[in-house]
Structures are given as structure tokens and as C-alpha cells.
Amino acid sequence: METAIDAKAMITTHDDIAPYMVEQRGRFIGQTSLVVLPKTTQEVSDVVKLCAEYNIGIVPQGGHTGLVSGGIPFPGDNAIVLSTSRLNKIRAIDPANNTMIVEAGCILQTIQEHAAKHDRLFPLSLGAEGSCQIGGNIATNAGGINVIRYGNTRQLILGLEVVTPTGEIWDGLRALQKDNTGYDLKQLYIGSEGTLGIITAAVLQLFPKPKEQQTAILALRDLDTSLPLLNLAQAMLGDALTSFELLPWIGIDFAQKHGQGVIDPIEGQYDWYILMEASVAINHSNLKDHFDNYLETAFEKGWIKDGVLAQNKTQSDCFWLLRENITLCQKAEGGSIKHDISVPVSSVPAFIKMANEAVQKLIPGIRPHPFGHLGDGNIHYNLSQPINMNKQDYLDRWEEVNRVVHDIVHSFNGSISAEHGIGRVKRDENQHYKSPIEIQLMKSIKTTLDPKGIMNPGKLIPVS
Ligand code: FAD
Ligand code: 2HG
Ligand code: ZN
């Protein structure tokens, strides 16, 4: 079969392929002899048809920021990498309908900025937004810091264009608020991590751009007060509440030690903090009054010990820089065994306490570093190695630690992957916790849509 793909869009030398093979965490190195970078949906289709003909696996890769090793082929997978980096046009924006059509390779931040130029908001926001791509966000159903108000990526997509595992192009780029014409196929692709097809474009739901924002960082009396504080925020700020993030002292400490330009706005040291934001899309609102009343009530009740309300955009950016560095600075403290869990919001403090006790019993000196999206019940229960332990000895215990933590998550009826997906890293762990019927249903969808098993082989579902 002839393909029209541009020869410059193929990378075949070991050194040039290398950057595509190292995943975010540096735990695994991928293996392939070819990376293709198609520029159009038609080129994606041509590549997929060729791979289908010769039974070659395809690993889609976007911004390469995923945290579960879903975007690299593992040795023995017999797969190429299809990078969407050149498939990066903003096809259209329609402010009147609050929609935008973008190609998979558009960087999330570029999309946010383009929407803002048209006085609109695309609310998906995460630490990796400067490099992750919308195709990757959709494929992983990314969460981030605004889920409490706007939902996960799943809630922000109206339509998709997908290249199927046989190379056909499905144009599902409908920009409709209502469409009950059968199975909602786009939802199947959202969160499918490249195992069912390649997302090439999407219709995004936009929102009015916030006109006023209030951001505060609060020191908690203790972990338990985080919940009444959240409930109070929901009661007093309603759906103006956009973020409610939990930060532990250890994270702030790491961020100050290792981050650049990070400032802790609160003097003194407390065990737990909340970084919260509220926003409204109308001018001359009384959001500030509501926020002040909220803080006053929380102080009166003794739930917060200290707090700083950002006085301007520079200061709120500073608070968010601290939050971003809590993610980035774990690496500087040696090995970090990570978990991306969710439990019902009201169970978060109990989960953290129970898990801390269990892991400390397992590895004395282990440093729990739980942080994240408390408002969604999603905690990054990351565990930094004991100070004097050998890093590899610590990382060798990854599975053992996972099992202890995930058993506790399971006992709360929680999820072992709240927002990062399953990829390769959590594949077997997922099999362990999901019911046989759920696994069977997932397998039958996979074999129906991808009978040759060429799409992202070995990810999410084991090759049978
Ligand atoms: P990649 O890493 O390239 O790929 C991810 C998966 O999607 C792979 O399985 C890949 O095969 C598949 N894929 C990629 N593109 C396509 C496509 N076009 N079609 C089909 N499949 C495709 N995640 C969150 O959810 N919330 C956070 O708050 C968050 N914060 C982060 C902060 C940092 C500093 C970092 C490094 C990561 C963070 N992440 C977060 C994880 C990551 O950014 C997200 O999972 C993101 O959605 C991945 O997008 P990507 O373009 O980098 O995808
Ligand atoms: C975040 O919320 C990301 O910052 C990354 O989801 C979490 O480092 C992590 O485990
Ligand atoms: Zn997160």
C-alpha cells in the first residue's frame, strides 16, 4: 500500500527516537525503531492502515507528560510511536456557541490562551498544561484543579474525530448540547488511553471567562477540619468555588527547598493547608464580600489557624506556583512511590490516617506526602523514601506498598486511578480490583473495536 506521509515526518535513528522513549517518571525506557509525526488526519489514517495490514502496534503519543507509562512501547510490543505533535491546528472557534474545534496535538495552554482572546474560558487546567496536548488530555480523561466546578475532561468534550484501528476516519465533530441518537461513542474514546483508536480532533465546550477571582491559602487546625471547611465553602460560595486543594507541610517544605521562586505565604508551620479559589463571570460581583464572610466564619469556628487572601494576580500566581512545585519537587527527595487515588470526599481524612499508619508500619521512616484535589476526593498519596534508605531498595518495594495502599482505597470503595489513567503501570493492579464482569466488558469492547490488538498494545488491558 502507498502512503502519502511526508518522509521528514519519520524518525528512525536511535538518538532522535530516544526523547520519545523516556516517560515522565523515568522508571521505564520504551523501545521502537520508528516514530511517525503525521500532520493531517488523512496521514494518521494512512499510517494506521499500513500498521493494520502488517500487524504492527501503534502507541499514540501527545505531550508525553502522562504519569502511567501509557505513551511508550515496551520491549517486545512490536509497535511504532505515532506522535500528534504536528497535528496541531486550531480549526475554528465559535464564541456565540461557546465551542472550539482543535486538533489533537494542540498544547492545552495554547487552547486556553486562544479561548481567552475570545473572552472565553477552557477550564481544564493542570501543572503540565504548558506541554500536554488536548489529545492526551482526552485520551486520559485528565482532571486537574478545576474539576470541582467544571468536571473532568469528559464533561468538556462535545464531539470527536477519531481514526479507528482499521484506519477509517470517524467524523463525530458535532457541536451539540443535546444528541440522544444512540450509544455515546465519544465517551468510549475519552479515557481509553489510545487503546481503541487515535483521537485526531475535538469540539471543546467553552465557558464565559471569569471576571473576578479570589484565591486564598489557609492553614488548617487539623486534617479533619478540611471537610467542614469544604462544606462551608460550598454553602457560602456556591458554584463560584473552582478549586479546593490540600497541601501538606512536607510538600511546602520540599517546594521551598527545591523549587525556584517558591514562597510560603503563611508564616509559621502547620501540618495541613488548603489552597482554594472562587471565580465568577460577571463584573461588579460581590464575590470578595462572600469570600471575606467565609473566611471570617471559618476563623470563628476555629477551623483555620491562619490564612492569606491574594491581593492581586501576582500573589495568586505565587500561590499556584507553590502548588505546582509540590508536584515537581518530590523527585529531589529521592524515590517517590506514587498513588493517584479517590475515595468519597468525606472519607479523605480517614483514608490518609489509615494509609499513613499502614505504610509507616511497612517501611519505618517512609515520608507520606498526600496532596491534591480534596474537593474531588482525589489525593495523590505519594510516599517519599526514608532519608537514609537506598533509592533502589525503596523503589523495589513499589508493588508491595501499592497493594497495602490500594487495599485501603478498596475498603473505602475508592478508585486506584482517579485521574492519571491505568497505562502500563497500573494495568495488573486494575485487574486485581475490578470485578470479573467489568474486566470482561472492557475486554469485549477492546476486541470488538480493535480485533487485531494493534492499538497501544499491553496498555490498560493485558494482551490475552
Ligand atoms: P501523553 O502522555 O503523551 O499520553 C497519555 C496517554 O494518552 C497515552 O496512553 C497515549 O497513548 C494516549 N494518547 C495521547 N494522545 C492520544 C491521541 N491523540 N489519541 C489516542 N490516545 C492518545 N493529570 C491530571 O489528570 N491532572 C493533573 O492535575 C495532572 N498534573 C500533572 C502535572 C505534571 C507536572 C505532570 C508531569 C503531569 C500531570 N498530569 C496530570 C498527567 C498528564 O499531564 C495528563 O495525563 C495529560 O492528560 C497527558 O497528556 P499528554 O498529551 O502528555 O499525553
Ligand atoms: C497534580 O495534581 C498531578 O499535581 C501530579 O496530578 C500528581 O505528582 C503527582 O503524583
Ligand atoms: Zn492531580
Side-chain angles (χ1 to χ4, degrees):
M1 196 198 114
E2 285 287 310
T3 172
I5 191 160
D6 173 2
K8 286 190 299 237
M10 297 192 213
I11 301 177
T12 51
T13 61
H14 180 269
D15 286 359
D16 294 336
I17 287 176
Y20 295 86
M21 295 297 104
V22 184
E23 48 86 34
Q24 267 297 322
R25 292 184 171 175
R27 262 186 94 197
F28 304 101
I29 306 285
Q31 206 176 76
T32 190
S33 46
L34 179 65
V35 177
V36 290
L37 297 99
K39 218 171 177 249
T40 64
T41 302
Q42 187 56 53
E43 286 182 358
V44 174
S45 158
D46 290 345
V47 172
V48 175
K49 279 182 182 159
L50 260 183
C51 289
E53 190 179 340
Y54 292 99
N55 266 320
I56 294 167
I58 305 166
V59 180
Q61 195 180 98
H64 207 17
T65 67
L67 294 171
V68 289
S69 303
I72 52 168
F74 277 67
D77 281 349
N78 184 32
I80 65 161
V81 166
L82 186 147
S83 163
T84 48
S85 296
R86 296 202 318 152
L87 191 68
N88 61 359
K89 283 197 282 298
I90 292 179
R91 291 191 189 164
I93 183 159
D94 180 352
N97 281 308
N98 282 310
T99 58
M100 185 170 176
I101 305 182
V102 296
E103 292 184 347
C106 288
I107 303 283
L108 175 57
Q109 194 174 330
T110 311
I111 293 172
Q112 295 165 342
E113 287 167 1
H114 195 75
K117 267 194 228 150
H118 292 264
D119 203 29
R120 294 293 179 274
L121 171 78
F122 183 60
L124 180 64
S125 179
L126 42 136
E129 63 198 22
S131 44
C132 63
Q133 300 175 5
I134 193 70
N137 301 144
I138 297 169
T140 56
N141 183 28
I145 56 172
N146 292 332
V147 172
I148 193 170
R149 163 76 178 84
Y150 297 98
N152 294 292
T153 302
R154 193 176 289 293
Q155 278 84 40
L156 305 174
I157 304 299
L158 293 177
L160 285 185
E161 179 187 84
V162 173
V163 172
T164 71
T166 51
E168 281 161 297
I169 299 170
W170 170 49
D171 179 353
L173 290 174
R174 290 187 283 267
L176 304 173
Q177 296 298 336
K178 289 188 159 188
D179 178 17
N180 267 352
T181 50
Y183 301 136
D184 193 351
L185 294 178
K186 70 174 179 297
Q187 292 300 348
L188 205 52
Y189 289 102
I190 300 171
S192 65
E193 303 183 42
T195 60
L196 300 179
I198 299 171
I199 295 156
T200 49
V203 183
L204 310 181
Q205 174 74 65
L206 306 180
F207 294 81
K209 195 170 140 196
K211 299 289 185 290
E212 195 187 337
Q213 231 147 2
Q214 297 294 334
T215 314
I217 187 155
L218 313 172
L220 303 186
R221 186 186 71 202
D222 54 38
L223 183 56
D224 288 329
T225 59
S226 59
L227 291 179
L229 205 56
L230 170 62
N231 292 335
L232 186 70
Q234 283 161 332
M236 293 186 72
L237 302 170
D239 69 0
L241 183 67
T242 44
S243 311
F244 200 86
E245 301 277 312
L246 180 71
L247 319 179
W249 167 253
I250 187 172
I252 294 180
D253 189 35
F254 287 2
Q256 288 187 110
K257 272 191 199 145
H258 309 294
Q260 283 213 334
V262 175
I263 301 161
D264 173 10
I266 294 184
E267 271 182 36
Q269 180 183 327
Y270 299 86
D271 289 344
W272 298 99
Y273 299 76
I274 291 292
L275 170 54
M276 60 180 290
E277 192 161 275
S279 60
V280 286
I282 42 171
N283 285 314
H284 314 298
S285 76
N286 48 8
L287 180 66
K288 169 99 173 51
D289 296 340
H290 286 296
F291 212 97
D292 284 342
N293 286 341
Y294 165 70
L295 294 180
E296 224 174 274
T297 312
F299 266 115
E300 273 165 17
K301 289 188 179 287
W303 294 339
I304 51 181
K305 292 289 187 194
D306 203 347
V308 182
L309 182 63
Q311 296 306 305
N312 48 45
K313 171 97 172 59
T314 314
Q315 210 177 2
S316 73
D317 286 350
C318 240
F319 295 180
W320 284 110
L321 182 74
L322 169 65
R323 166 66 179 84
E324 264 168 48
N325 273 279
I326 287 183
T327 307
L328 300 173
C329 293
Q330 293 157 70
K331 276 185 190 155
E333 289 279 329
S336 171
I337 298 182
K338 285 165 169 281
H339 307 85
D340 164 36
I341 68 97
S342 66
V343 292
V345 179
S346 60
S347 302
V348 169
F351 161 77
I352 292 178
K353 286 179 208 165
M354 208 183 274
N356 282 357
E357 204 176 301
V359 296
Q360 271 151 353
K361 216 186 261 174
L362 193 67
I363 305 182
I366 198 168
R367 292 174 294 164
H369 186 278
F371 71 99
H373 320 292
L374 175 68
D376 318 320
N378 173 196
I379 296 299
H380 300 302
Y381 188 72
N382 296 347
L383 298 162
S384 286
Q385 66 169 85
I387 287 168
N388 293 320
M389 191 169 179
N390 172 280
K391 183 175 172 185
Q392 197 50 50
D393 289 347
Y394 179 67
L395 294 178
D396 284 347
R397 300 191 67 180
W398 193 294
E399 268 81 38
E400 190 189 346
V401 175
N402 272 185
R403 181 49 51 84
V404 167
V405 173
H406 290 161
D407 276 353
I408 297 172
V409 171
H410 195 61
S411 74
F412 282 99
N413 238 332
S415 164
I416 65 157
S417 178
E419 61 171 8
H420 297 157
I422 294 296
R424 178 67 179 252
V425 166
K426 292 188 185 160
R427 185 191 69 185
D428 299 338
E429 203 66 352
N430 201 32
Q431 301 285 308
H432 181 81
Y433 291 103
K434 274 207 188 288
S435 68
I437 176 73
E438 217 170 340
I439 297 281
Q440 192 44 49
L441 288 168
M442 281 171 59
K443 279 187 176 162
S444 51
I445 291 169
K446 168 77 176 167
T447 41
T448 303
L449 295 188
D450 180 21
K452 290 189 166 184
I454 60 167
M455 285 309 312
N456 215 354
K459 310 295 167 28
L460 189 52
I461 296 172
V463 179
S464 44

